[in-house]
Amino acid sequence: MKQFVSFIRKEFYHIFRDMRTTLMLLLMPVILIILFGFAISTEIRRSPIAVWDQRHDDSSGKLINQLQASEYFELYQMINSREEAGELFRRGKIRLALIIPPAQADARVQILADATDPNEANLLIRYAGAVMTSSLPGPSLREEVSGEVLLLYNPQMKGAYNFVPGVMGLILMLICAMMTSVGIVKEKELGTMEVLLVSPLRPVYIILAKAAPYLLISMVNIATILLLSRFLLDVPIRGSLVVLVSLSVLYALVALCLGLLISTLADTQQAAMLISGVVLMLPTVLLSGMVFPVENMPWILRRLSDIVPAKWYIIGVKDVMIKGLEAGAILRETGILALMAIVLTGLSVKRFKIRL
Amino acid sequence: MNQVIIRNISRKYGDTTALQAVGFSVPPGELFGLIGPDGAGKTTLFRILTTLLLPDSGSATVCGFDIIRDWKEIRTRVGYMPGRFSLYQDLSMEENLLFFATVFNTRVEENYDLIRDIYVQIEPFRKRRAGKLSGGMKQKLALCCALIHRPEVLFLDEPTTGVDPVSRVEFWDMLRRLKQQGITILVSTPYMDEASRCDRIALMRSGHCLSIDTPGAICRSFGKPLYAVRSGRMYALLKELRTYKETFSCYAFGDSHHLTLNPGGADDVGALQTWLRDKGYTDVSIEPIAPGIEDCFMESGDRNV
């Protein structure tokens, strides 16, 4: 036990004496949260638009006012021809153009959108449609618009509700898997592993001692993320904190085992870094549902996403944190993660060499 | 009972033979040297004996334990200092020592008498990061760390490579003192001049053990007269000597060429001198010298490999 404690203390010396690593480990979650929360936003806010008003009456004036008043749009300028709109699109000055026809019986408003980013164009058109519907003069017309949408759990459609669990999944994977694998491979590379192996220290303790500090640090990161998202981004934690943290620990264990497995495959720190980056980070970002919805992917990618631990973790976190579900609701996710942890531990312990 | 017994150990890396049927024994308390150039198989042999590598064939015991079956036992009983500096560069000297003491289930105070002579020399720098120590100090620290648990057998892989001559002498003095404490020491070195500091040595080349004996006996076994030949034009002389029909072997050794001749005529030195004078070497000096380990090494290399 004393050996073990002393080993862990040594690991913390390594971590904290390397300023770059320390900063990266502690600030990465903060930076990611702020980046996703404020810079990389999928929400529409103050998109510049242009309007060609050929009608020039009360109702068109009211519509323009409404558009301007909404927080989604900002009137870039009034225009007088279709060509002007085209020019503004080409120069990237506007995202949306509205062409209001002269007052006639069945004249319809035309909406032009810059569809180079299809998701954004879609959203803009939907918002513009919503604004127009609400500004229509008579109740008779409004009745034709049927169907009422009720957004559950996230009525304001805040992006943070999606990316906070995503960032948690990413950070835990990054720190537990990448740092552990690099940490172990570093000992191999420096030759200290040789000395450690020729000691009474059991190899399993070497592994545990290498992994434990990163588990601890990743828990600090989870706390940071939860605090930031709660108080900075106003993302609620509706479910039980205990369940949330337990799920995170389980996921961190899976990530640690992955890191361990990588360390048995790689011989240099660069190789470990590369394998963690390509084999772990890419699927975690692309296939976990954090950025792109998995449901729309081809069959093969969907199956592939099933073996990405982050997918199950993110589903679990959303269920507990955003929907406020009980532990019983995430049994499937917990079970899959536990199974992964067991299989990976077995694999990496089997692969860990007690010799060079 | 011998502390280390090696029987017929062979090991290959792919197609390269690292060790070929190596075997010898080391009794308790002996300072045994493995002498040979890079690639001789010294490190591979050490790694096999410290249970870090498995041999392809052959067997060995360390402290009476089998290196394959009883690796756990061996790892608690030996001290190992790898060839390159294998301590934590970002930990201070003191932290390294404390860490290895706890890893080996002991305390620094417990075996302080063993490392005191070495430790006092580096103690003034105990707060310095190991990565910032000089080469000699690093090796002394590594030796302290390898000794801290009072091992029965100590394996030192090229401990003096990259260390200045003064520290090298000090290092060997330390090994002498450790030997007096009853520790069996196996040390490897590419420096032939260090061989004489060992009780017994094994000359190694390309995975083969060329000869195993005391340094004195190996030198005595040289078995033919050896001459040091000098002249103003050394390089030309070396090439010239190698074309001489009676030359058995001729190697460049620092300031002279070491030459052996085919057994034969009574005045072979005189004949050589005449031959060289005819070739235009007027300032040649030829004198008989006692063979050293390096001569034996070159010689047995010619014979066996």
Side-chain angles (χ1 to χ4, degrees):
Chain A
M1 198 59 213
K2 217 182 122 199
Q3 284 171 299
F4 190 60
V5 171
S6 151
F7 205 127
I8 291 180
R9 187 170 55 227
K10 183 209 76 155
E11 287 309 313
F12 276 112
Y13 284 149
H14 286 325
I15 296 169
F16 290 123
R17 286 190 183 167
D18 185 358
M19 273 315 280
R20 276 187 307 174
T21 315
T22 317
L23 279 179
M24 193 182 97
L25 286 179
L26 296 178
L27 288 184
M28 196 166 49
V30 178
I31 290 169
L32 274 182
I33 285 286
I34 291 177
L35 213 62
F36 274 99
F38 296 101
I40 311 170
S41 175
T42 48
E43 295 161 49
I44 305 298
R45 218 177 274 136
R46 307 170 78 83
S47 285
I49 60 167
V51 179
W52 180 15
D53 186 2
Q54 294 164 277
R55 193 178 171 120
H56 291 297
D57 65 2
D58 276 358
S59 60
S60 72
K62 196 175 159 207
L63 174 60
I64 294 166
N65 277 339
Q66 288 254 4
L67 283 169
Q68 261 186 299
S70 86
E71 58 171 348
Y72 308 127
F73 302 108
E74 196 170 50
L75 187 63
Y76 181 71
Q77 72 180 62
M78 299 296 291
I79 50 174
N80 292 312
S81 71
R82 189 177 282 273
E83 286 69 38
E84 244 180 290
E87 177 59 25
L88 286 172
F89 273 124
R90 269 194 295 281
R91 281 162 47 205
K93 295 292 182 195
I94 55 169
R95 292 261 165 274
L96 201 76
L98 244 60
I99 300 173
I100 306 170
Q104 279 163 22
D106 58 348
R108 300 171 72 170
V109 174
Q110 189 178 19
I111 303 175
L112 306 174
D114 177 357
T116 43
D117 181 344
N119 290 331
E120 194 194 303
N122 254 329
L123 271 177
L124 284 172
I125 292 168
R126 284 230 313 273
Y127 286 155
V131 172
M132 277 155 55
T133 315
S134 64
S135 72
L136 283 176
S140 57
L141 270 170
R142 205 181 298 172
E143 270 164 21
E144 282 178 18
V145 184
S146 59
E148 194 146 311
V149 178
L150 179 61
L151 293 166
L152 293 175
Y153 307 121
N154 185 5
Q156 295 152 289
M157 297 205 29
K158 277 193 179 173
Y161 284 45
N162 180 42
F163 75 73
V164 165
V167 168
M168 285 164 74
L170 188 65
I171 296 251
L172 282 183
M173 187 54 81
L174 205 66
I175 287 172
C176 292
M178 191 182 268
M179 299 308 288
T180 308
S181 65
V182 169
I184 295 178
V185 172
K186 197 172 167 185
E187 301 246 5
K188 281 205 241 175
E189 220 179 34
L190 289 176
T192 43
M193 193 55 108
E194 246 176 287
V195 182
L196 289 180
L197 284 176
V198 188
S199 77
L201 207 57
R202 296 261 306 281
V204 62
Y205 283 119
I206 301 179
I207 298 174
L208 284 178
K210 291 300 283 188
Y214 295 111
L215 186 63
L216 221 67
I217 287 178
S218 61
M219 288 306 113
V220 172
N221 286 329
I222 286 297
T224 318
I225 294 174
L226 288 179
L227 284 174
L228 278 176
S229 61
R230 174 71 191 83
F231 294 105
L232 193 70
L233 302 175
D234 290 323
V235 178
I237 300 170
R238 296 207 178 95
S240 143
L241 200 59
V242 178
V243 176
L244 191 59
V245 171
S246 315
L247 185 69
S248 301
V249 172
L250 179 62
Y251 174 67
L253 283 177
V254 175
L256 285 174
C257 295
L258 272 172
L260 204 55
L261 197 62
I262 289 171
S263 76
T264 64
L265 299 170
D267 283 322
T268 62
Q269 291 183 63
Q270 277 100 329
M273 205 78 123
L274 206 69
I275 297 178
S276 328
V278 175
V279 180
L280 296 184
M281 286 308 117
L282 276 182
T284 303
V285 173
L286 298 179
L287 291 179
S288 66
M290 172 191 177
V291 181
F292 307 108
V294 179
E295 289 76 10
N296 304 334
M297 291 183 181
W299 177 85
I300 177 102
L301 286 182
R302 263 181 295 157
R303 291 287 79 77
L304 211 58
S305 77
D306 286 344
I307 58 164
V308 176
K311 172 183 168 174
W312 305 106
Y313 175 65
I314 291 174
I315 293 175
V317 169
K318 278 185 186 164
D319 281 354
V320 174
M321 194 169 150
I322 312 293
K323 296 189 191 167
L325 302 183
E326 292 301 315
I330 54 162
L331 278 182
R332 186 180 61 140
E333 287 75 20
T334 319
I336 290 172
L337 286 176
L339 193 71
M340 284 178 173
I342 293 167
V343 171
L344 287 170
T345 313
L347 260 179
S348 46
V349 165
K350 208 173 151 220
R351 274 203 55 99
F352 187 82
K353 284 176 245 157
I354 55 158
R355 301 173 200 274
L356 279 185
Chain B
M1 181 66 187
N2 284 325
Q3 281 289 63
V4 178
I5 302 166
I6 304 166
R7 294 181 207 92
N8 254 332
I9 281 201
S10 298
R11 166 82 200 201
K12 277 178 194 284
Y13 293 108
D15 287 337
T16 325
T17 303
L19 287 175
Q20 184 61 51
V22 169
F24 58 82
S25 302
V26 182
E30 188 171 65
L31 177 52
F32 189 92
L34 292 170
I35 320 286
D38 292 346
K42 306 184 299 282
T43 301
T44 306
L45 185 57
F46 273 172
R47 285 183 171 166
I48 287 174
L49 292 177
T50 50
T51 74
L52 284 171
L53 279 181
L54 293 174
D56 293 335
S57 64
S59 65
T61 59
V62 174
C63 311
F65 293 99
D66 184 80
I67 51 155
I68 299 165
R69 202 185 53 235
D70 308 319
W71 58 274
K72 279 185 192 162
E73 296 292 336
I74 292 176
R75 287 181 183 188
T76 62
R77 285 174 168 79
V78 302
Y80 173 46
M81 184 174 149
R84 55 191 171 144
F85 183 63
S86 298
L87 298 176
Y88 298 101
Q89 314 257 359
D90 50 348
L91 260 55
S92 76
M93 219 184 77
E94 203 172 30
E95 284 160 351
N96 266 301
L97 194 61
L98 285 173
F99 172 69
F100 282 102
T102 33
V103 160
F104 281 95
N105 261 329
T106 180
R107 287 175 304 121
V108 176
E109 301 80 51
E110 226 166 280
N111 295 313
Y112 186 71
D113 59 304
L114 199 59
I115 60 164
R116 187 180 49 227
D117 288 344
I118 312 162
Y119 192 65
V120 287
Q121 298 177 36
I122 50 174
E123 203 178 6
F125 309 99
R126 65 177 192 279
K127 296 283 176 207
R128 192 181 286 189
R129 302 261 167 105
K132 295 209 160 67
L133 294 172
S134 72
M137 282 197 281
K138 276 183 184 170
Q139 293 308 78
K140 284 170 193 167
L141 172 60
L143 183 60
C144 284
C145 290
L147 278 172
I148 194 66
H149 59 296
R150 195 178 282 275
E152 294 172 35
V153 182
L154 186 59
F155 295 94
L156 306 171
D157 193 3
E158 301 202 1
T160 53
T161 300
V163 175
D164 66 273
V166 177
S167 298
R168 270 169 60 187
V169 172
E170 282 176 10
F171 203 89
W172 280 96
D173 290 340
M174 280 180 239
L175 295 190
R176 277 273 141 205
R177 282 197 291 275
L178 289 175
K179 176 189 134 66
Q180 281 155 17
Q181 301 252 10
I183 297 176
T184 309
I185 303 172
L186 270 79
V187 58
S188 75
T189 177
Y191 301 119
M192 303 285 165
D193 55 317
E194 291 180 343
S196 58
R197 314 275 324 235
C198 304
D199 296 333
R200 283 196 310 146
I201 56 171
L203 294 183
M204 290 185 75
R205 174 187 276 182
S206 319
H208 294 262
C209 250
L210 304 177
S211 47
I212 299 157
D213 212 330
T214 61
I218 285 183
C219 291
R220 280 193 297 280
S221 72
F222 192 71
K224 49 169 86 74
L226 182 73
Y227 302 102
V229 187
R230 292 186 186 82
S231 120
R233 295 179 290 150
M234 290 299 277
Y235 185 60
L237 178 67
L238 179 67
K239 289 206 285 192
E240 207 72 69
L241 282 170
R242 281 182 175 165
T243 63
Y244 183 54
K245 67 179 192 322
E246 292 301 326
T247 296
F248 180 77
S249 68
C250 182
Y251 298 104
F253 268 72
D255 65 340
S256 67
H257 299 317
H258 286 192
L259 174 82
T260 55
L261 296 171
N262 287 323
D267 190 23
D268 41 10
V269 177
L272 174 63
Q273 213 138 22
T274 318
W275 184 77
L276 281 174
R277 199 174 313 122
D278 292 346
K279 292 272 175 189
Y281 294 89
T282 48
D283 56 344
V284 175
S285 83
I286 303 175
E287 51 186 297
I289 50 163
I293 294 293
E294 196 164 355
D295 296 303
C296 303
F297 180 79
M298 304 304 274
E299 202 66 15
S300 46
D302 278 351
R303 228 173 21 232
N304 299 355
V305 180

